[in-house]
Amino acid sequence: MATERDRVAEYKEAYDQANAGFGAWQMQVKNDLKVYLGDSWTSDDRIRFKKEKRDVMGFPLIRRLVKWISGYQRRNIKSIRYDAVEGGDEQTAEQFTALNTWSMQHSNSYYVESEAFEGCLKQGINLINVYNNR
């Protein structure tokens, strides 16, 4: 039976492994998202501006570019098409295409895909999870 000390050591080892892969990335993503939202100044900059009696102002130019690129993707989104491979049945491939198109339209999947794309533009990564919804 594992002792409390063993569990803590196992947790710390797992945390260190995850942090080595994503720790620095998470700080960069946090900064990127803050800049996208219009908060591009550090706390040191804010203190300096206050001492100089200047307003803290920012002009988030990146937001316009993200909206432009994601809008282009939304307008030009492509659907998935299945093709028969190596002499496979064409009718089956067409049925799979029709099923997938119906499923994507009725489950709002094109919207989810576009939102994930926009999130990727803001943060550098975005994951879409396929799961059963009851």
Side-chain angles (χ1 to χ4, degrees):
M1 190 160 127
T3 64
E4 186 68 25
R5 184 176 294 159
D6 294 339
R7 279 187 239 141
V8 169
E10 185 179 344
Y11 174 82
K12 182 172 178 5
E13 181 182 348
Y15 178 85
D16 290 342
Q17 287 176 356
N19 194 36
F22 289 103
W25 175 80
Q26 286 178 340
M27 291 304 297
Q28 183 63 45
V29 167
K30 181 181 174 186
N31 290 338
D32 290 347
L33 192 57
K34 282 175 60 176
V35 169
Y36 173 80
L37 295 173
D39 184 22
S40 58
W41 302 109
T42 65
S43 59
D44 294 338
D45 291 335
R46 291 178 189 282
I47 291 169
R48 191 182 77 226
F49 289 156
K50 193 168 190 162
K51 286 180 183 176
E52 295 173 1
K53 296 184 172 126
R54 294 171 44 195
D55 291 333
V56 180
M57 296 177 65
F59 302 98
L61 302 176
I62 193 70
R63 187 179 305 160
R64 181 176 51 124
L65 295 173
V66 167
K67 291 296 184 184
W68 177 52
I69 294 169
S70 66
Y72 181 85
Q73 185 270 342
R74 286 178 197 273
R75 281 190 305 275
N76 297 295
I77 195 166
K78 305 290 184 202
S79 62
I80 297 170
R81 180 176 170 217
Y82 293 91
D83 289 326
V85 179
E86 296 180 6
D89 190 11
E90 285 290 329
Q91 186 177 4
T92 303
E94 290 174 9
Q95 287 175 346
F96 275 134
T97 301
L99 283 169
N100 184 63
T101 301
W102 184 90
S103 174
M104 292 287 283
Q105 289 172 347
H106 285 80
S107 64
N108 211 15
S109 296
Y110 291 117
Y111 174 78
V112 171
E113 189 177 326
S114 294
E115 286 295 307
F117 180 78
E118 185 174 331
C120 184
L121 291 174
K122 294 174 193 172
Q123 301 169 341
I125 191 171
N126 208 325
L127 304 176
I128 299 175
N129 187 18
V130 179
Y131 60 93
N132 290 330
N133 189 355
R134 299 182 186 264

